[in-house]
Amino acid sequence: MGNTASGAAFCTAAQRYSYASLRLERVEWRGPGLVMVKYRVLSEGFPLVRPGQFILFWVPGLEAIPLSPLYSDEETMVFLVKERGETTRSIVKEPPRFAGAIGPQGRPAEPRGERIAVIAGGVGVASALPVARQASLEGSETLLIYGARSAAELAPIESYAGGSRIIYATEDGSKGLKGTVLDALDGLGVSGFASIYAAGPNPMLCALYKWAQRLGVLDKLFLAPERIIRCGMGFCGKCNIPGTELLLCRDGAYLAAPSLTRWVEKGCPVD
Ligand code: FES
């Protein structure tokens, strides 16, 4: 096992990034165009990746892509990866035996309150689950609503949920409630939730924004928009949220819904 001390890769006044080498421990699960993989962190001293943060996952011979670990501690990182392009396709097909991590990037989410709801659409659960786990471990009654098109696309996340109550929703009704995560949330009543965090496809986030606006609870909602990430370090401006000064890679992943009004008005674009 390597024991390379982590080195500071990039520094700003606010943030310090580190490197780590990762070694594949096992493939935990496969779904259609999806894989869940567990890596061992070989480098000592890599900072803990907090809920809401992400790393750049470097695939030898390809590129570094932003990934939120579904679970992470000093020794392991678990990732849920969905095929979207060349690099993710390669990971899903054959996860690299060795990979690199650069980070952490982004601003930690701080879910607080007696009752917290966390909404995850598809692979958005990789970003949402750590928020639910932290809230639950800190004593909040935490509800995680996890939705996908069908049961085959729902990753086995239970052992990483930290005591959160999980409600499943599938569009074809093959597991849990039949319908969308919004259908599931609608049936629960929102007045008791101190905050609602959501990660998933942008149309889902747009719908949640409008739902919260209608109910007058926009100030309780935090969204993790999907945007194209290029440098991942606040240099290039590619991940800017249209109509705002926000950079997703620096200020996200979770952003207060009222700050996203212009983005929603533009239809919640990815690019
Ligand atoms: S991806 Fe370059 S500034 Fe965010």
Side-chain angles (χ1 to χ4, degrees):
M1 176 177 158
N3 61 353
T4 314
S6 63
F10 301 91
C11 293
T12 67
Q15 201 153 16
R16 187 177 175 89
Y17 302 126
S18 296
Y19 302 107
S21 39
L22 307 175
R23 186 183 64 217
L24 181 64
E25 201 162 287
R26 64 172 177 269
V27 172
E28 298 212 323
W29 174 79
R30 283 188 180 280
L34 294 160
V35 71
M36 194 161 123
V37 281
K38 185 172 191 176
Y39 278 85
R40 180 149 295 274
V41 180
L42 300 180
S43 311
E44 292 177 0
F46 191 78
L48 273 179
V49 185
R50 312 270 305 150
Q53 291 188 303
F54 66 96
I55 62 146
L56 293 176
F57 183 87
W58 179 73
V59 181
L62 290 168
E63 59 180 350
I65 58 167
L67 287 181
S68 299
L70 184 81
Y71 174 82
S72 64
D73 59 27
E74 288 86 354
E75 297 181 343
T76 59
M77 289 189 196
V78 178
F79 300 101
L80 179 63
V81 181
K82 178 180 179 166
E83 277 187 24
R84 292 176 194 264
E86 186 188 4
T87 303
T88 48
R89 198 172 309 118
S90 159
I91 297 169
V92 170
K93 188 171 172 213
E94 189 173 351
R97 194 158 159 253
F98 289 96
I102 306 168
Q105 274 97 347
R107 193 187 299 268
E110 295 179 341
R112 294 215 175 88
E114 235 171 83
R115 294 185 73 215
I116 305 285
V118 180
I119 317 296
V123 77
V125 75
S127 170
L129 188 67
V131 176
R133 182 173 56 250
Q134 173 163 315
S136 178
L137 293 177
E138 289 183 353
S140 302
E141 183 187 334
T142 308
L143 178 68
L144 172 66
I145 302 176
Y146 178 21
R149 279 177 298 192
S150 71
E153 296 180 8
L154 292 169
I157 57 161
E158 293 81 359
S159 61
Y160 297 118
S164 307
R165 181 178 158 224
I166 305 174
I167 292 179
Y168 294 99
T170 51
E171 290 172 25
D172 67 359
S174 50
K175 180 161 180 169
L177 298 168
K178 187 173 192 302
T180 65
V181 289
L182 200 47
D183 295 329
L185 187 57
D186 251 341
L188 292 168
V190 292
S191 54
F193 294 117
S195 336
I196 302 169
Y197 286 78
N202 284 351
M204 178 193 106
L205 302 184
C206 242
L208 270 169
Y209 178 101
K210 289 169 186 165
W211 167 89
Q213 193 175 43
R214 208 169 49 244
L215 296 181
V217 294
L218 208 51
D219 59 331
K220 293 184 175 188
L221 184 64
F222 297 83
L223 302 175
E226 286 190 328
R227 296 281 296 159
I228 301 287
I229 301 279
R230 192 128 301 152
C231 71
M233 296 182 180
F235 297 161
C236 72
K238 181 69 180 167
C239 66
N240 170 252
I241 307 291
T244 76
E245 296 295 315
L246 296 165
L247 295 177
L248 185 64
C249 73
R250 180 192 64 194
D251 304 314
Y254 288 91
L255 300 168
S259 69
L260 297 171
T261 302
R262 294 290 309 281
W263 178 66
V264 172
E265 286 169 358
K266 290 172 183 286
C268 301
V270 172
D271 196 6

